[in-house]
Every structure is written in C-alpha cells, then in structure tokens.
Amino acid sequence: MHIAWLGKKSPFCGNVTYTREVTNALLDRSYQVSFLHFAQEEEDRTWWGCQEVPLPCLYKSQMYTIPTLTASKVLKRSLQELKPDLVHASLTLSPLDFLLPEICTELNIPLVATFHPPFDGKRRNLQSGTQLLTYQVYAPFLAHYDRVIIFSQLQRDVLSRVGVPDHKLAVIPNGVDVQKYSPGYSQFTSELASEFKAERLFVYQGRIATEKNVEALLRAWKQCNLGESSKLVIAGDGPLLASLKPFYGEEHNIIWLGFVASEQERIEILRAADVFILPSLLEGLSLSLLEAMACGVACVATDAGADGEVLEDGAGVILNTHGVTSQLKTLLPLLRDHRDWTTLLGQKARARVLERYTLSGNITQLERLYEEVVQIRLVQLSRRA
C-alpha cells in the first residue's frame, strides 16, 4: 500500500516525533511512504527513507503553520502524480487542513487525519478554553475526513461533543518503541555523579511554554530546597526559557540543558532519572511521558488530556492541574526520600507501556484502519460504477 503522509519535519515537537516514528515503522512493514511537508527553501531535504515532497510555506512554528497561496495547488498536483492509495495527514494546525477533504474527494483518495491539539476536558483554565475553541473550529472539517485518529477516549468525547460523528473517530494511542526506550545503563548518570554530585535526579523534558506549566515545577523545587544531592534537569527549549532561567539556576540545584537534539542522549537522560515530572495545564497524550515510563522511571503528571488516564491505577502519581506548585511541594521530598516507592512506580510505569502503549501495537491498529478505509472506498466506487 502506498501512503502519502502529510506531516511536520521541523521545528522539533511531538508532531515531528510522531511522524518520524510512524513512517519509519510503516517502512519497516514494507509500505511505500511519500512524505509531504511544509518547507522553506534553505531547509535540509533528507528524511527517513521516504520520497519527499516539500510544500511552500511562509511561516511555521511548533504550534502552527502558514502555507503560501500556492501550497494547495502544489499539494494537489503532487497527489495526482504520486497516486497514493491513502493520504494520512498528521495535522499541523494549518489552513491547508481545512482544504484537504475537498482535494482528496476530488482526487478520490481516502483521507485519514491524526488530530494532535492538547485539551483539558474539564475546562479548568483560560488555556483549556482556547484549545476547546480550536476543537470547535476544526469539528465541521474533521467530519469530512474518512477517519480521525485521536489518542484517548477522553479526546474522543471532546470531539464528539463539538459535532464530529462517532463513526469517524478512531482511538489509537501514541506508541513507544519499547526496545529503544527501555531501562538500562546511562553514561549520563556517571557524568552527573562526578560533575554535579547528584544522588537523586528529577527530570523534565519538553517545551518551555505556558501550557507546559514548567514554572510551577520550578517554584516548588526552589521552595522545597531538597539539598545539593538532588538535582532537577530541564531538557528543552521554548518561548519562556529566557524569562525563567535567570531566576532558577545552579544555586537552586537546577541544570538547564536546552534543546537536546540527539534521541540517544534524551534516552540516556531518562535512564539516569529517578523521577520524571510533567506539570502541564494542557496535553493530548504526551510522548515524553510515555518515553519516560518505557525507560522505567517513576512518573508524576497532571491529569491534563489523557495523561491521567495513562497513569491511573498506580502506574504513576497524578496531579490536578490546579495548585500544581503546592502539590509538588508536598510530593518532592517524599520522592527524594522513598527510593523503594520510586523504584516500584518505575516498574509499574514500564509495565503499563508494555500493556497499552507500544509502537508495534499502535502500527498494527493503524494498518487495520488503513485497510478498512481503503476497502470502504473501493465498495463505494463499485456501487457508483
């Protein structure tokens, strides 16, 4: 089967990771994959073994993309030439998302989308209200896709409430390569022990942005004053980095690594960690959380998006998105002092990923969905004939 994948190559974010992991897995299973993505002229044009088709854009960020006026014509012409069996759009929050159903209907190509925007089904803050508006704006257009992949039943409920037909929605959670993301020796551990004298390591990996609520973690850490043997590593970049870093530094036992480009280095950091903390106000289903769990790390996360569902029944510690700082002030000393507890949490986290969130299982579900959608289209064509 030939899949035309419309996704994101840069800047680095969860959508990029999702695209890379899924397209690599499809190639491993002998699918033909053509990769269409927004690009500017100076960008590197290499990908993971896929035929690549750049689409012109004016601007792109981790959150959204602005295509040029000619991008839809380039996309349509490319699909006419490629003649794929199916288009899978890992939606990039772009105006082109709204035109895709019309283009694919005209070309008679089945269309599947993965809808990534984070959410909070309980609408507890301004950010969650803004994200709900995104869901409401997208709903009429998602109804014209053949299938829309989301990551949890909670997300399905949100889209159903705003008008996307239930039969169009397919829950296929994010998946992790559990061979690659696994417990193991980490060179990072010995480096920390020698350079920073760290005995207990707490880690946040992700964007430094408002919805990630990193400052709530930093405030709690600073107020707890856990001592020099406990370190907090912040791995990531984002719009709030410059405003936060000067107030939370090495004097507070905080290590800022910035953006870590190497996947192997990110795995080394997770393997070295005793505790992974994700204090987000909004999430979809965090790949960073699943990766930490797969590495056998004790995990703490808010119940934003589907993250609480992932950690339920003892697979981790679940925080409410309200009062994250005060909750962490109570929790951090316990996580420092009770090593047997964090070891057990790490074991349960790894078991949960093996049970529900493997990349292999994700791809198998995706294959079934592809076959179903293509078969339905063939039946529709035969009836018209």
Side-chain angles (χ1 to χ4, degrees):
M1 187 183 294
H2 181 187
I3 309 298
W5 185 282
L6 176 60
K8 213 167 188 178
K9 180 178 180 180
S10 66
F12 183 82
C13 61
N15 196 322
V16 173
T17 302
Y18 177 82
T19 290
R20 182 192 64 213
E21 294 296 320
V22 176
T23 54
N24 270 336
L26 290 172
L27 289 167
D28 287 343
R29 297 195 185 191
S30 300
Y31 285 79
Q32 180 184 352
V33 180
S34 299
F35 177 47
L36 300 90
H37 69 97
F38 293 104
Q40 293 163 321
E41 291 185 3
E42 69 276 10
E43 289 188 37
D44 176 39
R45 297 294 174 86
T46 59
W47 190 246
W48 295 277
C50 301
Q51 178 182 359
E52 183 180 345
V53 179
L55 303 173
C57 70
L58 299 172
Y59 174 80
K60 59 180 177 174
S61 70
Q62 291 175 317
M63 299 301 294
Y64 62 91
T65 306
I66 302 175
T68 67
L69 294 175
T70 62
S72 61
K73 293 181 180 179
V74 174
L75 173 61
K76 182 177 178 180
R77 184 175 66 248
S78 299
L79 292 175
Q80 286 174 319
E81 293 172 356
L82 291 168
K83 295 181 173 57
D85 297 298
L86 180 142
V87 173
H88 187 153
S90 184
L91 296 180
T92 56
L93 296 190
S94 149
L96 203 55
D97 298 344
F98 306 129
L99 300 177
L100 266 172
E102 181 181 341
I103 292 171
C104 288
T105 297
E106 186 177 339
L107 298 178
N108 207 19
I109 304 171
L111 175 61
V112 171
T114 300
F115 192 59
H116 294 271
F119 67 98
D120 180 356
K122 299 176 185 177
R123 302 185 220 173
R124 293 170 287 194
N125 52 61
L126 177 62
Q127 286 86 0
S128 64
T130 303
Q131 288 306 127
L132 180 61
L133 179 61
T134 301
Y135 276 63
Q136 291 170 328
V137 168
Y138 263 81
F141 299 92
L142 294 177
H144 294 289
Y145 283 70
D146 290 286
R147 290 290 186 280
V148 178
I149 296 169
I150 66 275
F151 300 131
S152 72
Q153 185 62 47
L154 288 170
Q155 193 180 11
R156 180 182 190 134
D157 293 343
V158 172
L159 283 172
S160 183
R161 286 204 306 269
V162 296
V164 182
D166 284 343
H167 73 276
K168 294 291 184 81
L169 299 171
V171 177
I172 302 179
N174 275 332
V176 179
D177 183 338
V178 293
Q179 303 303 317
K180 186 165 51 175
Y181 287 88
S182 61
Y185 170 77
S186 173
Q187 180 62 34
F188 193 74
T189 307
S190 59
E191 291 172 0
L192 280 168
S194 60
E195 185 175 352
F196 298 104
K197 299 188 170 111
E199 295 178 13
R200 295 290 278 172
L201 183 64
F202 296 73
V203 169
Y204 168 84
Q205 279 195 9
R207 295 180 65 241
I208 316 298
T210 302
E211 70 275 9
K212 297 298 185 180
N213 202 25
V214 180
E215 189 171 10
L217 166 60
L218 294 169
R219 284 198 305 266
W221 181 269
K222 186 175 179 179
Q223 292 170 25
C224 280
N225 190 20
L226 297 182
E228 292 188 1
S229 62
S230 294
K231 307 293 181 182
L232 173 63
V233 168
I234 306 291
D237 200 353
L240 297 185
L241 177 63
S243 63
L244 292 177
K245 190 174 179 180
F247 298 98
Y248 303 95
E250 285 189 19
E251 68 274 20
H252 306 114
N253 300 306
I254 298 171
I255 303 165
W256 294 86
L257 296 182
F259 173 62
V260 180
S262 165
E263 182 182 25
Q264 187 55 45
E265 286 184 27
R266 295 197 299 274
I267 293 172
E268 292 274 324
I269 293 167
L270 292 175
R271 286 177 172 173
D274 295 293
V275 180
F276 177 88
I277 302 175
L278 187 63
S280 301
L281 296 171
L282 294 170
E283 282 291 346
L285 173 53
S286 170
L287 265 173
S288 293
L289 175 61
L290 293 177
E291 289 166 355
M293 293 172 70
C295 289
V297 184
C299 290
V300 178
T302 57
D303 60 348
D307 289 354
E309 182 181 311
V310 172
L311 295 179
E312 65 186 2
D313 299 327
V317 179
I318 305 169
L319 306 177
N320 192 290
T321 58
H322 280 310
V324 171
T325 296
S326 61
Q327 293 172 79
L328 284 173
K329 281 173 62 179
T330 300
L331 191 59
L332 287 171
L334 298 174
L335 292 166
R336 175 196 61 187
D337 296 336
H338 295 276
R339 299 189 179 213
D340 290 345
W341 181 41
T342 55
T343 298
L344 180 61
L345 285 174
Q347 292 169 350
K348 289 186 174 182
R350 170 77 177 172
R352 175 59 53 79
V353 169
L354 293 174
E355 176 190 358
R356 301 184 188 175
Y357 301 105
T358 65
L359 180 61
S360 175
N362 173 296
I363 299 302
T364 297
Q365 292 182 68
L366 190 59
E367 286 182 300
R368 291 174 187 150
L369 184 142
Y370 286 168
E371 291 168 3
E372 177 186 337
V373 169
V374 169
Q375 188 60 39
I376 289 172
R377 181 56 59 94
L378 291 174
V379 170
Q380 291 172 341
L381 287 174
S382 65
R383 287 175 178 171
R384 290 176 194 168

